[in-house]
Amino acid sequence: MGKIGRILSFTLITVFLVFAASLAYAQGEAASREDVLISILVKKGILTQEETKAIEAEAEATQKKHEQKIVEDIKTKGLAVPNALKGLSISGLGYIDYSVGEIARPGNKETNLNKFTLTRGYLTIQKNINDWMSGRITSDITRLSTNGDPNNSDWEYRIKYLYVELRPHDIGGLTNMQAEFGQGHNPWLDFEESINPTRAQGTMAVERAGVFNSADLGVSLRGNIYGKLADAKAKTGNSHYDGFYGSWHLGVYNGGGYHNDEANSSKALEGRLSIRPLPELVPGLQLSYLGMFGKGNKSPYTSYEPNYIVNMGMLSLENPLYILTAQYFQTTGNAAGTWVTPDNDELRTEGVSVFGRVKMPFITERLGAFARYDYFNQDKDNKIAHNAHYNMYITGLSYDLYKDNIILADFESVDYGSGAGLQGAAPKADNRLGNNNKFQVVYQLSF
């Protein structure tokens, strides 16, 4: 990238950030005057933090009562909601990305990066059919090239989720259960992404490494352990996967992920167990294990059917003001069945990921700083290449605009070993990838 191009790019970023900050300020002035008044009263010592939380809770309860009154008025006045709209919800989630920097290429080379893109675009329709049954369909955009030419591509929609959800009765300590039949969640990534709020920046460590993705065709059952943690949002900052003693998820899937058709007749058994050991004392602490056991998605008639095994452990600590996670995982092969040697031996890999985020209430509770470190060794036994590892470093800021609408600005750098392939790819002897650095601004659109 030339000097003029870099100056222009960073100028555009500056203009964007100034515009975003102005928009956020205007939004805050128009919609959050009450928040400003409360903050002033707290600073002057007129209100305590406990009183502030009580006021906010009372305001939320008043809003809910107002909404319930509207519903009751509709019923009593005979303004019935059409059956097709009862229990129907429509939501959207998108990541609008601008990145500038350089992408690593073999032979210690780089190519320039300077582009706007849409890294995700989900549209979800959910419908409650009755008290114990519902359906969901989520479409997802992706770039598909024409005739293998990456410069000739277009946006295409694909199905991310399409499943029926059944809600069975509690069985002892197994509570709040949900069964999915169809193309549903795998046991891990939705759980991790509910803890890590920076998914807009990029995928989680195990998916970015190329081990598996977030959805697959099959049947699964998940639930809580002994009910729900009361006031989970207030205590941990997270209302998802709010089991009192934790949660669990067990399923049988095709195994290849939602990107690919099933190439063999094998099925993968996948399960997650998350334990909240001290729900009263340290409600945000969880210990989680993930296990996946199956075959890589390769046809047994055209190639060797490799093993696919994942073992992962994660410690997470959540609080409304901070989040800390640390995980370690080992794999044999991957979901796609592509991590094998020319002699059809599966590659063994291992990875580490550490993530942290802290909010800055001394500036504004909307602002947060985050950092992440990933290490991944694509060939632990050096079957294809030595030094087949990479280290990834991410640091950035996030600003919460309104109801999961977020702006992130971050810097990402990846150092590759001499035998490493790009993230998600297999290793290659003496590949010698060059530098990989980028500055990124992402808007997370949520409605």
Side-chain angles (χ1 to χ4, degrees):
M1 179 186 298
K3 184 176 181 181
I4 295 177
R6 288 182 181 273
I7 293 173
L8 178 60
S9 298
F10 282 99
T11 300
L12 286 171
I13 293 172
T14 303
V15 171
F16 178 84
L17 290 174
V18 170
F19 171 75
S22 301
L23 179 64
Y25 178 78
Q27 181 268 341
E29 285 292 304
S32 302
R33 294 185 186 275
E34 294 84 356
D35 294 340
V36 173
L37 178 59
I38 290 174
S39 297
I40 293 173
L41 294 175
V42 170
K43 288 181 180 178
K44 289 182 176 294
I46 298 173
L47 289 177
T48 66
Q49 290 290 346
E50 290 73 17
E51 289 170 333
T52 299
K53 291 180 180 179
I55 290 172
E56 292 173 347
E58 184 177 351
E60 185 177 351
T62 301
Q63 178 65 24
K64 288 182 178 180
K65 288 181 180 179
H66 177 67
E67 293 172 354
Q68 290 172 357
K69 185 177 184 303
I70 293 175
V71 172
E72 291 299 322
D73 286 345
I74 290 175
K75 291 180 179 179
T76 57
K77 294 178 181 179
L79 302 175
V81 177
N83 288 331
L85 299 181
K86 290 180 180 178
L88 180 70
S89 66
I90 299 175
S91 61
L93 180 65
Y95 306 145
I96 305 166
D97 183 295
Y98 173 72
S99 295
V100 57
E102 51 195 2
I103 302 173
R105 297 298 181 216
N108 284 325
K109 297 180 180 179
E110 302 89 21
T111 56
N112 292 329
L113 171 67
N114 184 0
K115 71 175 182 178
F116 294 94
T117 189
L118 306 175
T119 56
R120 273 296 178 264
Y122 298 130
L123 181 63
T124 296
I125 300 174
Q126 292 178 281
K127 171 73 173 177
N128 285 327
I129 300 171
N130 56 33
D131 292 340
W132 50 270
M133 182 192 309
S134 64
R136 170 177 174 173
I137 181 170
T138 296
S139 57
D140 175 25
I141 61 168
T142 186
R143 275 281 193 189
L144 290 180
S145 60
T146 303
N147 298 323
D149 181 3
N151 296 316
N152 185 8
S153 61
D154 200 359
W155 296 107
E156 298 285 347
Y157 265 98
R158 61 188 176 189
I159 298 298
K160 175 72 177 286
Y161 299 113
L162 198 168
Y163 59 81
V164 59
E165 178 184 288
L166 306 176
R167 295 180 286 274
H169 293 296
D170 296 348
I171 303 175
L174 304 180
T175 64
N176 310 104
M177 289 187 287
Q178 299 168 289
E180 294 179 0
F181 178 54
Q183 188 155 286
H185 299 87
N186 84 4
W188 184 257
L189 284 169
D190 187 67
F191 169 75
E192 183 180 359
E193 289 169 11
S194 74
I195 298 173
N196 185 330
T198 63
R199 168 63 182 85
Q201 189 280 329
T203 51
M204 301 294 99
V206 71
E207 184 176 9
R208 192 174 298 204
V211 181
F212 57 81
N213 57 46
S214 56
D216 204 350
L217 271 161
V219 59
S220 72
L221 182 66
R222 71 175 187 265
N224 291 339
I225 302 175
Y226 283 99
K228 293 186 177 184
L229 178 69
D231 300 321
K233 180 74 172 178
K235 293 176 180 176
T236 70
N238 183 6
S239 60
H240 302 283
Y241 296 95
D242 57 353
F244 186 78
Y245 282 112
S247 62
W248 53 276
H249 192 162
L250 183 66
V252 178
Y253 304 86
N254 279 344
Y258 77 100
H259 293 171
N260 303 302
D261 194 11
E262 176 75 336
N264 56 36
S265 60
S266 300
K267 295 293 170 280
L269 176 64
E270 306 177 6
R272 173 187 59 83
L273 176 63
S274 300
I275 299 297
R276 197 186 306 271
L278 302 169
E280 300 288 358
L281 187 62
V282 191
L285 175 65
Q286 292 192 85
L287 305 173
S288 301
Y289 167 76
L290 170 76
M292 294 184 169
F293 309 93
K295 296 289 186 179
N297 194 36
K298 288 288 186 180
S299 171
Y301 302 107
T302 59
S303 62
Y304 168 72
E305 193 173 12
N307 290 317
Y308 164 47
I309 302 171
V310 179
N311 285 286
M312 177 190 293
M314 185 175 82
L315 182 149
S316 58
L317 182 61
E318 298 175 85
N319 183 279
L321 292 179
Y322 60 84
I323 300 168
L324 295 171
T325 69
Q327 63 180 245
Y328 173 77
F329 58 92
Q330 292 185 337
T331 83
T332 299
N334 63 343
T338 56
W339 288 354
V340 293
T341 69
D343 297 327
N344 290 325
D345 289 333
E346 303 93 345
L347 297 179
R348 292 202 310 146
T349 76
E350 67 176 350
V352 173
S353 182
V354 180
F355 170 79
R357 190 203 68 174
V358 60
K359 287 191 174 182
M360 302 185 215
F362 52 89
I363 301 176
T364 171
E365 290 188 355
R366 296 172 182 263
L367 183 65
F370 63 91
R372 173 173 152 189
Y373 167 72
D374 286 2
Y375 166 83
F376 186 63
N377 190 338
Q378 300 167 337
D379 188 357
K380 182 180 177 181
D381 299 323
N382 303 321
K383 290 183 176 180
I384 291 180
H386 293 270
N387 298 319
H389 61 270
Y390 64 75
N391 296 279
M392 184 181 73
Y393 308 88
I394 301 171
T395 182
L397 297 172
S398 64
Y399 188 84
D400 300 332
L401 288 172
Y402 181 71
K403 290 186 176 180
D404 293 328
N405 283 268
I406 303 169
I407 291 178
L408 296 93
D410 62 84
F411 178 75
E412 175 186 312
S413 178
V414 185
D415 297 332
Y416 290 99
S418 60
L422 288 170
Q423 291 174 322
K428 185 177 181 181
D430 200 30
N431 201 26
R432 295 182 298 115
L433 290 167
N435 296 320
N436 202 114
N437 304 296
K438 72 175 180 180
F439 181 80
Q440 179 183 35
V441 178
V442 188
Y443 185 96
Q444 177 174 296
L445 171 67
S446 179
F447 60 87

